[in-house]
Amino acid sequence: AGLDAWNDERHRTASTVAVAFQNSLGEKVIPALVRQVAVSDPGIRFGLHQGPRQMCLNLLADGRVDLAIVSDVDAQLPEYVVYPLFTQLLVVGFPTARALAPLPRLRIDGLVGAPIVAMKPGFGMRRSVDRLFASSGHEPALAFEGEDLRTIDGLVAAGLGVSIVPLDGRSPAGCVWVPLSDPGAEREMAAVARASHESAAVAVVVRALVESASVAVQPR
């Protein structure tokens, strides 16, 4: 009976949760979520979509996903329910070979004119970079615009420029991270659902996210 229910298409559809998530969450947060749900509620399956922040929000707005996991969402939007997950400090990535002395922390105006290795427009971290530079009255001097943080780390290590990235459990070879002291030098990650389309399965996934996400990205 269990296999018959699993193979029934109506049961399968009702137990599938479509999730869109920013690229930086694909290495740890999403695998931790899938593992936890597999143990607690094995009947739930995932339809996963990875991409830039704006793409994730567009998929949610169009009804193509049930949940978007993105950064810096306005919690007052009436059409959405926002579930805060965790906050990450933002740090500056320097190539190890050029870090002549340890710096306790930096302000964004100390990076004006420095070559910045950043994500492309539409990505969550690019939004954070532009916001920080705008607060200082300047624009970033872009050396490269990429689509994933691993590429950003590699190009910083190679000496192309410096980056602004979230502090998490990654340990990129050839990079040194220095905290930013500017107000707002952080990003707040949240799960966002449409208020009119919440379901029991979505509630299970959100609960698992809240329990597992902050542990997955905790710096070591």
Side-chain angles (χ1 to χ4, degrees):
L3 286 177
D4 290 340
W6 174 246
N7 289 326
D8 184 272
E9 185 60 30
R10 289 170 301 173
H11 174 83
R12 191 178 185 88
T13 301
S15 299
T16 298
V17 176
V19 179
F21 58 94
Q22 290 182 195
N23 284 357
S24 60
L25 305 178
E27 185 176 3
K28 295 183 178 180
V29 172
I30 298 304
L33 169 65
V34 171
R35 282 193 295 268
Q36 180 146 332
V37 171
V39 172
S40 63
D41 292 85
I44 293 177
R45 293 294 181 268
F46 289 97
L48 298 177
H49 304 261
Q50 182 181 28
R53 176 184 184 275
Q54 193 57 52
M55 185 207 81
C56 295
L57 291 173
N58 290 345
L59 289 175
L60 182 67
D62 293 343
R64 295 173 59 188
V65 299
D66 303 296
L67 204 63
I69 310 173
V70 295
S71 60
D72 302 324
V73 177
D74 183 355
Q76 305 304 313
L77 294 174
E79 65 269 34
Y80 295 130
V81 181
V82 179
Y83 302 92
L85 296 176
F86 55 87
T87 299
Q88 290 176 301
L89 299 178
L90 301 182
V91 296
V92 181
F94 286 93
T96 302
R98 299 201 180 171
L100 302 180
L103 298 171
R105 56 185 53 237
L106 279 170
R107 289 187 60 85
I108 195 69
D109 54 14
L111 298 177
V112 172
I116 303 296
V117 183
M119 302 291 280
K120 290 180 177 179
F123 285 82
M125 274 311 307
R126 176 58 178 274
R127 187 170 182 265
S128 297
V129 169
D130 288 344
R131 174 173 50 82
L132 282 168
F133 273 95
S135 70
S136 71
H138 296 86
E139 295 184 359
L142 297 169
F144 176 79
E145 297 174 287
E147 297 184 359
D148 67 87
L149 290 178
R150 290 294 184 186
T151 299
I152 300 299
D153 292 341
L155 291 174
V156 168
L160 185 64
V162 301
S163 63
I164 298 174
V165 294
L167 178 63
D168 59 20
R170 296 176 304 121
S171 300
C175 295
V176 174
W177 284 347
V178 177
L180 280 166
S181 60
D182 300 78
E186 61 186 24
R187 69 172 184 173
E188 297 179 357
M189 302 302 301
V192 189
R194 288 168 293 145
S196 59
H197 289 80
E198 288 189 288
S199 67
V202 170
V204 167
V205 171
V206 169
R207 184 168 62 248
L209 260 175
V210 171
E211 293 173 357
S212 65
S214 61
V215 176
V217 299
Q218 185 175 8
R220 293 172 176 81

